[in-house]
Amino acid sequence: MQCNTIDYERMFHPKRIAILGVSLEGVGLGNGFLLALQAMGYEGEIFPVNPRGGTFAGLNILSKVEDIPGEIDFAIIAVAARMVPEALEACRKKGAAGAEIISSGFSEVGTSEGIALEQEIRDIASRGIRVIGPNCFGIYCPKSGLTFMPGPDLSRESGPVAFLSQSGGMASDFANTGKWMGLRFSKVVSLGNGADLRETDFLKYLGDDPETRVIAMYVEGIRDGDDFFRTAKSVAKKKPIVVYKGGLSKAGQRAVVSHTASMGGSRTVWPAILKQVNAVQVQDMQEMAQASLAFSVLPERVFQGVSVMGGGGALGIAACDAAESFGIEVPLFSSDLKARIEDCLPKPGSSGGNPVDVMNPFVSNKALKEVLRHAATDERIDLQIVISLLYHYKVLAILRCKSVAAVTPFSELADVVGDVAKETGKPIAVVLPNTRRGMGDMDVVEMLAQARQLLIERGIPVFDEIRDVFRAIAHVNSYYGKRGARDE
Amino acid sequence: MQCNTIDYERMFHPKRIAILGVSLEGVGLGNGFLLALQAMGYEGEIFPVNPRGGTFAGLNILSKVEDIPGEIDFAIIAVAARMVPEALEACRKKGAAGAEIISSGFSEVGTSEGIALEQEIRDIASRGIRVIGPNCFGIYCPKSGLTFMPGPDLSRESGPVAFLSQSGGMASDFANTGKWMGLRFSKVVSLGNGADLRETDFLKYLGDDPETRVIAMYVEGIRDGDDFFRTAKSVAKKKPIVVYKGGLSKAGQRAVVSHTASMGGSRTVWPAILKQVNAVQVQDMQEMAQASLAFSVLPERVFQGVSVMGGGGALGIAACDAAESFGIEVPLFSSDLKARIEDCLPKPGSSGGNPVDVMNPFVSNKALKEVLRHAATDERIDLQIVISLLYHYKVLAILRCKSVAAVTPFSELADVVGDVAKETGKPIAVVLPNTRRGMGDMDVVEMLAQARQLLIERGIPVFDEIRDVFRAIAHVNSYYGKRGARDE
């Protein structure tokens, strides 16, 4: 029975943290946490604890939790499994609102000892300290500087995306992926075994969290299906929930059991229920990140008609094929609009219908700007997609013996796209594929990373592949299509 | 009527090439070709032609084709559309076996002038010079050093993959993608409008070409459906044909018309016919490249059961889900084998069933080697998949103030995987995802490019994402499953 309240504020933004399991040799999990918090510039106080005392990373190691002066808000527990209950109890007595237990060796190993230890954790939690984990990576909260274990260099910039994950690796991967992809996070929680606080608790909290506009989840299994789906239904009326359910296959379910010991649920039931509550189901981490990006950057509406611009006719064809498969239209421009667009482009080779074939990847950003402005005048166009093959500039760089960054007008591209999106009020998404990724093309990879960053700073979502952008928009359309219909 | 024979040998391996359309200012398409051929180290003779004469890139420009001493084997024609027939006729008289016409402005623009010019090309071709294009990028042949326009730095290493493309951009993209992905090419042809030589001609040739073991194709439309499918059926009995058909959507078909002016064919007909002739249909360039890689590297057989190793339980679950969706099995190991595998791995956290959770990305390559050897003893395992999260070493690099390359044992990984694959006779595929791609992580990107290169050198196919490897293997299974059944 959990009768104590949950002080999320003190858990996500703790001012005083104890770290239990900081070894003198500097090789323990706790040491990694301490260094990561310092690297993140966490501004609160950190109290490392180890019975043997000593110093580490410029801090005195206290020999027991009781020696910490005053109360603590939060604890990071990374001691051996059998020591965890005692450690947790000490933190509870020190007034901690919560603790994340990183240690593994509990119900997930399936031994009676592990299961009993996890029960002990639950018992202590019911007496006033809320627990994340065990067998988890903890919390990442950019605003407070709290970070999980493999995260000394995550972004400190906050944003609208929250992520709940039953896999620590997935939590860390998603946070890192978000960093370069332009996802900014409110809170990321690695739930681990969920002995105390679980997916539904955080889902409820995030549903009301004003800092969170999009909730992404990696789920392997849920404890209380009814409660989860009731909560999801209510939260999905307020904000999109993007769900990646792992372990829907037979072998996958078997692997779920040895990973987080949770019950999986079947391949047929999940999609049906998620659809019913208007949650967005995705098939892997890339799709989850791309959908979250689209939700976090685009206005809250359906995008039925899109324009597509790219150089190389096959691109436009690929875009049309992808659009149709995701229920999005690429409406043909009127002959008048087509002619106006073709006036801006080199001939022969270009084509001004929709998709617009700008003929080659070297068409000027000035021309592109005019094309985008013209295309935006068609009222059937809700969003524009620019496919930019910047990697082709490598050939120019080689032939002219200059650096790729010097010959590629990527910063002008970012300005043009950013300006037109603002000016026309119609969002623009950019696709930046890269066919050059070998050892001889690291300059191209770096230039594209810079280009992406400039675009992101202007609020433009960037995708690697043509299909990706349409799939992400389709998720946005599906969610707002249903939610809108319900609110009317 | 085409009555002349096709001397492919002289077209793919020309000793003497004329380039028509080399401008004195050095900005023409022909100049790009000339520089690209020089950069590729093409060993034959090049004769640039321009009525005004002069010099470029160290070569004398001849004022007309007739001034070239002796015969030529091949011509690259990049003059304005209306000058093309005369240029082509001059090359024919000079004894060229073939010419690639880069110029655009023919049937693809839809004007009566363009259509008439294309007919003139066809007429000249019927008198003894075979034509690739117009509106194409030409031929890339690593063995001879022939390269298409945006290809001054393509690989000179030959290999088993041929590519026929109705899009020049796609041809160039595929050749560049192959370079870092480990695809090595026999011949790549950008077909353009296909006024003379078309998809079916080259398909017939490649079917018998001993240097080609895999044929990839990007098709927008075909001229003679019966001939194409009869040819594909016969060739597919000898070697796999991987087909990406663009323009299957309504808007896509519309775009096909303005791109290569070819008839598209419907979304329902193509998959059925491709299936019937046992060609492999893919949905985009990435899938085409990955399937081609699997076909070119793996033995010619079906891979029914696979083992999966990775650190982080969610990976194994994702792999099982992907495997099932592609009809591949991840059979559970016997408890005896499971125990032997677990003996090699750190505890708690690891799991020796199949998938094998090696617990974290830092497990030693020595342990991984033993695990792979043990897993190979299960006779249900036809292929092993290693998911290696090398990017996690970045955190170690940060905490230890060292370079990523110095702390990441990627070269040992390549050795272990290469050795075990050889020793056990069971192929291994590696998945190397990367969640770190931002400006601060270029060192990780570079290290992974190096790791990929070392693996490729050892004959190991590498994929970016878990789903990719299963999808590629599923294509291999589908092809050899049917072909085997037919040969029995």
Side-chain angles (χ1 to χ4, degrees):
Chain A
M1 260 306 142
Q2 311 295 347
C3 52
N4 52 329
T5 58
I6 312 177
D7 192 346
Y8 288 106
E9 178 56 29
R10 278 176 73 211
M11 292 200 289
F12 284 115
H13 310 101
K15 294 195 173 57
R16 296 164 58 86
I17 300 178
I19 304 182
L20 286 72
V22 173
S23 82
L24 300 184
E25 294 74 30
V27 295
L29 276 178
N31 304 70
F33 264 96
L34 200 160
L35 294 173
L37 285 171
Q38 289 181 334
M40 287 284 285
Y42 167 74
E43 292 92 357
E45 282 181 276
I46 304 173
F47 302 99
V49 178
N50 182 306
R52 292 187 288 155
T55 62
F56 179 75
L59 293 173
N60 280 323
I61 301 179
L62 301 167
S63 55
K64 47 188 194 298
V65 174
E66 291 76 9
D67 293 347
I68 299 173
E71 282 210 329
I72 54 171
D73 298 305
F74 191 65
I76 298 169
I77 299 179
V79 298
R82 66 180 192 287
M83 321 275 285
V84 165
E86 191 187 325
L88 183 64
E89 176 63 13
C91 295
R92 186 188 71 82
K93 287 187 177 150
K94 261 290 168 192
E100 56 190 34
I101 301 174
I102 313 307
S103 327
S104 54
F106 298 87
S107 66
E108 85 282 1
V109 289
T111 60
S112 58
E113 192 201 349
I115 293 166
L117 283 168
E118 191 155 315
Q119 186 54 49
E120 280 192 67
I121 290 175
R122 221 178 334 263
D123 293 342
I124 298 165
S126 72
R127 294 201 298 273
I129 181 171
R130 302 311 296 258
V131 170
I132 296 157
N135 187 29
C136 78
F137 281 22
I139 290 173
Y140 160 50
C141 178
K143 199 171 181 182
S144 68
L146 205 57
T147 186
F148 32 53
M149 168 49 205
D153 62 339
L154 291 173
S155 173
R156 283 296 303 266
E157 220 182 297
S158 284
V161 182
F163 181 46
L164 301 176
S165 178
Q166 286 181 356
S167 152
M170 195 74 83
S172 148
D173 286 353
F174 200 68
N176 275 296
T177 299
K179 195 179 170 188
W180 59 264
M181 207 188 245
L183 287 178
R184 292 297 172 260
F185 297 100
S186 55
K187 283 107 185 172
V188 179
V189 184
S190 156
L191 299 161
N193 294 0
D196 176 30
L197 292 176
R198 291 186 63 91
E199 53 286 349
T200 309
D201 302 293
F202 285 105
L203 187 57
K204 278 177 190 154
Y205 165 69
L206 294 170
D208 292 324
D209 178 25
E211 293 177 345
T212 299
R213 286 195 292 109
V214 184
I215 303 168
M217 300 184 79
Y218 172 71
V219 182
E220 291 185 359
I222 45 176
R223 183 163 294 156
D224 182 338
D226 287 349
D227 191 22
F228 176 76
F229 288 112
R230 208 179 308 118
T231 305
K233 192 172 180 176
S234 136
V235 171
K237 284 178 185 156
K238 292 180 273 186
K239 46 190 93 172
I241 308 174
V242 181
V243 179
Y244 170 18
K245 168 69 179 80
L248 288 176
S249 63
K250 235 174 73 184
Q253 279 179 39
R254 190 180 75 213
V256 159
V257 172
S258 70
H259 185 220
T260 44
S262 50
M263 291 303 296
S266 90
R267 189 184 272 282
T268 45
V269 169
W270 272 87
I273 295 182
L274 289 175
K275 202 173 171 189
Q276 200 182 311
V277 303
N278 199 20
V280 170
Q281 189 179 10
V282 294
Q283 302 305 326
D284 57 31
M285 204 191 73
Q286 290 69 45
E287 188 178 354
M288 184 168 60
Q290 290 154 5
S292 301
L293 178 65
F295 277 114
S296 73
V297 170
L298 296 178
E300 303 187 0
R301 53 161 294 186
V302 169
F303 302 92
Q304 196 47 56
V306 304
S307 72
V308 175
M309 349 251 132
L315 291 179
I317 294 165
C320 289
D321 288 352
E324 188 178 282
S325 72
F326 290 111
I328 295 164
E329 283 158 35
V330 185
L332 181 64
F333 292 147
S334 68
S335 54
D336 175 57
L337 180 53
K338 181 168 184 286
R340 272 184 290 145
I341 287 173
E342 286 177 355
D343 274 350
C344 314
L345 292 170
K347 271 160 287 294
S350 61
S351 164
N354 190 18
V356 178
D357 181 353
V358 301
M359 195 185 74
N360 69 46
F362 307 113
V363 162
S364 75
N365 284 305
K366 201 167 153 258
L368 184 68
K369 188 170 194 170
E370 289 313 305
V371 170
L372 286 167
R373 278 174 166 161
H374 283 304
T377 62
D378 186 322
E379 59 184 20
R380 296 167 303 170
I381 300 303
D382 301 320
L383 179 145
Q384 307 208 63
I385 295 173
V386 173
I387 307 167
S388 193
L389 306 187
L390 294 179
Y391 59 85
H392 274 298
Y393 282 89
K394 174 67 178 253
V395 174
L396 283 196
I398 293 171
L399 297 179
R400 294 181 189 168
C401 301
K402 286 191 173 173
S403 81
V404 171
V407 299
T408 313
F410 62 89
S411 116
E412 292 80 353
L413 174 73
D415 285 339
V416 160
V417 169
D419 290 352
V420 177
K422 206 176 283 175
E423 174 193 314
T424 61
K426 295 189 176 180
I428 301 177
V430 171
V431 182
L432 278 187
N434 186 16
T435 66
R436 291 177 166 270
R437 290 173 46 190
M439 288 301 293
D441 285 319
M442 283 301 124
D443 50 354
V444 177
V445 175
E446 185 166 1
M447 179 271 288
L448 287 172
Q450 270 183 278
R452 183 187 287 265
Q453 197 169 293
L454 293 180
L455 285 159
I456 289 168
E457 284 166 13
R458 285 155 183 78
I460 305 295
V462 180
F463 299 83
D464 286 340
E465 304 295 344
I466 292 171
R467 279 184 70 82
D468 295 348
V469 66
F470 287 101
R471 188 174 61 178
I473 294 170
H475 285 312
V476 170
N477 287 352
S478 160
Y479 175 73
Y480 290 110
K482 285 183 204 154
R483 200 189 72 171
R486 201 167 42 232
D487 285 349
E488 272 160 20
Chain B
M1 261 304 142
Q2 311 294 347
C3 52
N4 53 329
T5 56
I6 312 176
D7 193 346
Y8 287 107
E9 177 57 28
R10 279 176 73 210
M11 292 198 290
F12 284 116
H13 309 101
K15 294 195 173 56
R16 296 164 59 85
I17 300 178
I19 304 182
L20 286 72
V22 174
S23 82
L24 300 184
E25 294 74 31
V27 295
L29 276 179
N31 304 71
F33 263 97
L34 201 161
L35 294 173
L37 284 172
Q38 290 181 334
M40 286 283 284
Y42 166 74
E43 292 93 356
E45 282 179 275
I46 304 174
F47 301 98
V49 178
N50 182 304
R52 292 188 288 154
T55 62
F56 179 74
L59 292 174
N60 280 322
I61 301 180
L62 302 167
S63 54
K64 48 188 193 299
V65 174
E66 291 76 9
D67 293 348
I68 299 174
E71 283 211 329
I72 55 171
D73 297 306
F74 192 65
I76 298 169
I77 298 179
V79 298
R82 66 180 191 289
M83 320 276 286
V84 165
E86 192 188 325
L88 183 63
E89 176 63 13
C91 295
R92 186 187 71 82
K93 288 187 178 149
K94 260 290 167 191
E100 55 189 37
I101 300 174
I102 313 306
S103 327
S104 54
F106 298 88
S107 65
E108 84 283 0
V109 289
T111 60
S112 57
E113 192 201 349
I115 293 167
L117 282 168
E118 192 156 316
Q119 186 54 50
E120 280 192 67
I121 290 176
R122 220 179 333 263
D123 293 342
I124 298 166
S126 71
R127 294 201 298 272
I129 181 170
R130 302 310 297 256
V131 170
I132 296 158
N135 187 30
C136 79
F137 281 22
I139 290 174
Y140 160 49
C141 178
K143 199 170 181 184
S144 68
L146 205 57
T147 186
F148 32 53
M149 169 50 204
D153 61 338
L154 291 174
S155 173
R156 281 297 302 266
E157 220 182 298
S158 285
V161 182
F163 182 46
L164 300 176
S165 178
Q166 285 181 356
S167 152
M170 195 73 83
S172 148
D173 286 354
F174 200 68
N176 275 296
T177 299
K179 195 179 169 188
W180 58 266
M181 207 188 244
L183 287 178
R184 292 297 172 260
F185 296 101
S186 54
K187 283 106 185 173
V188 180
V189 183
S190 156
L191 299 162
N193 294 0
D196 175 30
L197 292 177
R198 291 186 65 89
E199 53 286 348
T200 309
D201 302 293
F202 285 104
L203 188 56
K204 278 177 192 157
Y205 165 69
L206 294 170
D208 291 324
D209 178 25
E211 293 178 347
T212 299
R213 286 196 293 109
V214 184
I215 303 167
M217 300 184 78
Y218 172 72
V219 181
E220 292 186 357
I222 44 176
R223 184 164 293 157
D224 181 340
D226 286 348
D227 190 23
F228 176 76
F229 287 112
R230 208 179 310 120
T231 305
K233 192 170 180 179
S234 136
V235 171
K237 284 178 185 158
K238 292 181 271 186
K239 45 191 91 172
I241 308 174
V242 181
V243 178
Y244 170 18
K245 168 68 180 80
L248 288 175
S249 64
K250 233 173 74 184
Q253 281 178 38
R254 191 179 76 214
V256 159
V257 172
S258 70
H259 184 221
T260 43
S262 48
M263 292 303 297
S266 91
R267 188 185 270 286
T268 45
V269 169
W270 271 86
I273 295 184
L274 289 175
K275 203 172 169 188
Q276 201 182 310
V277 304
N278 199 20
V280 170
Q281 190 179 11
V282 295
Q283 302 304 324
D284 58 30
M285 203 192 73
Q286 290 69 44
E287 189 179 352
M288 184 167 59
Q290 291 154 4
S292 301
L293 179 65
F295 276 114
S296 72
V297 170
L298 296 178
E300 303 188 0
R301 54 161 294 185
V302 169
F303 302 92
Q304 195 47 57
V306 304
S307 73
V308 175
M309 347 251 133
L315 291 181
I317 294 164
C320 290
D321 288 352
E324 188 178 281
S325 72
F326 291 110
I328 295 164
E329 284 158 34
V330 185
L332 182 63
F333 292 146
S334 67
S335 53
D336 176 55
L337 179 55
K338 182 169 184 286
R340 272 183 290 145
I341 288 173
E342 285 176 357
D343 273 350
C344 314
L345 293 169
K347 272 160 284 296
S350 61
S351 166
N354 189 19
V356 178
D357 181 353
V358 300
M359 195 185 75
N360 69 45
F362 307 113
V363 163
S364 75
N365 283 306
K366 200 166 153 259
L368 184 68
K369 187 169 194 170
E370 289 313 306
V371 170
L372 286 167
R373 279 175 166 160
H374 283 305
T377 63
D378 187 322
E379 58 184 22
R380 295 167 303 169
I381 299 304
D382 300 320
L383 179 145
Q384 307 208 63
I385 295 173
V386 173
I387 307 167
S388 193
L389 306 187
L390 294 178
Y391 59 85
H392 274 298
Y393 281 88
K394 174 68 178 253
V395 173
L396 284 196
I398 294 171
L399 296 179
R400 294 182 189 167
C401 302
K402 286 192 174 172
S403 82
V404 171
V407 300
T408 313
F410 62 89
S411 115
E412 292 80 354
L413 175 72
D415 285 338
V416 160
V417 169
D419 289 352
V420 176
K422 206 176 284 177
E423 173 193 315
T424 62
K426 295 188 176 181
I428 302 177
V430 171
V431 182
L432 278 188
N434 185 16
T435 66
R436 291 177 166 270
R437 289 174 44 189
M439 287 302 293
D441 284 320
M442 283 300 124
D443 50 354
V444 177
V445 175
E446 186 166 1
M447 178 270 288
L448 286 172
Q450 271 184 277
R452 183 187 286 266
Q453 197 169 293
L454 293 180
L455 285 159
I456 289 169
E457 286 167 11
R458 284 155 183 78
I460 304 297
V462 180
F463 299 83
D464 285 340
E465 304 296 344
I466 291 171
R467 279 183 70 81
D468 294 348
V469 66
F470 286 101
R471 189 174 59 179
I473 295 170
H475 285 312
V476 170
N477 287 352
S478 160
Y479 174 73
Y480 290 109
K482 285 183 205 154
R483 200 189 72 170
R486 201 167 40 231
D487 285 349
E488 273 160 21

